[in-house]
Amino acid sequence: DKIWRIVIFDIPEKKKFARHALREKLKEWNFFQLQKSVWVCPWPCEKEVEFIVELLGIASYVNIVKAGEIQKDAYLREYFHLL
C-alpha cells in the first residue's frame, strides 16, 4: 500500500526486559532498524505491534507512525525487496 509503518519507542530502564523483548520481536518480524528505538516496515503491522506492547505492558511508551514517504529510502526499498 506504499505506506511505511514506523515504530518508535522510549521505554524506561526499569522495563528493560520488555524493551529487549520488543526489539527481538521486531527483528523476528524483519523490521529495519533506522535508529536505536526507531524501526520501520512497509506492511500493515499495527495489530501485531499493539498486541505485543499490550502484552509486555509498555503501550504507553510505544507509537506507530504511518508515513507515505521517507527521504532517501532506496536502502529501505532494497532491504524489503520493493525495487
Side-chain angles (χ1 to χ4, degrees):
D1 64 359
K2 299 184 181 184
I3 302 282
W4 293 107
R5 276 70 174 188
I6 305 165
V7 177
I8 58 175
F9 54 90
D10 189 12
I11 302 168
E13 186 63 23
K14 67 182 178 182
K15 298 214 175 236
K16 67 181 176 181
F17 173 81
R19 184 177 59 228
H20 176 74
L22 176 60
R23 279 195 186 118
E24 290 304 310
K25 187 52 84 171
L26 294 172
K27 289 177 191 177
E28 180 183 316
W29 289 336
N30 203 33
F31 277 61
F32 184 88
Q33 186 176 18
L34 283 177
Q35 294 181 6
K36 189 168 179 109
S37 298
V38 181
W39 296 72
V40 65
C41 76
W43 54 80
C45 65
E46 296 86 349
K47 289 181 183 178
E48 293 85 351
V49 172
E50 288 169 3
F51 175 79
I52 195 73
V53 300
E54 286 291 334
L55 185 68
L56 293 169
I58 54 173
S60 62
Y61 307 109
V62 180
N63 278 302
I64 302 170
V65 178
K66 293 164 109 177
E69 178 182 341
I70 296 177
Q71 288 184 336
K72 303 174 187 169
D73 69 351
Y75 64 97
L76 290 173
R77 288 185 278 117
E78 183 176 334
Y79 176 83
F80 290 110
H81 308 288
L82 300 174
L83 297 175

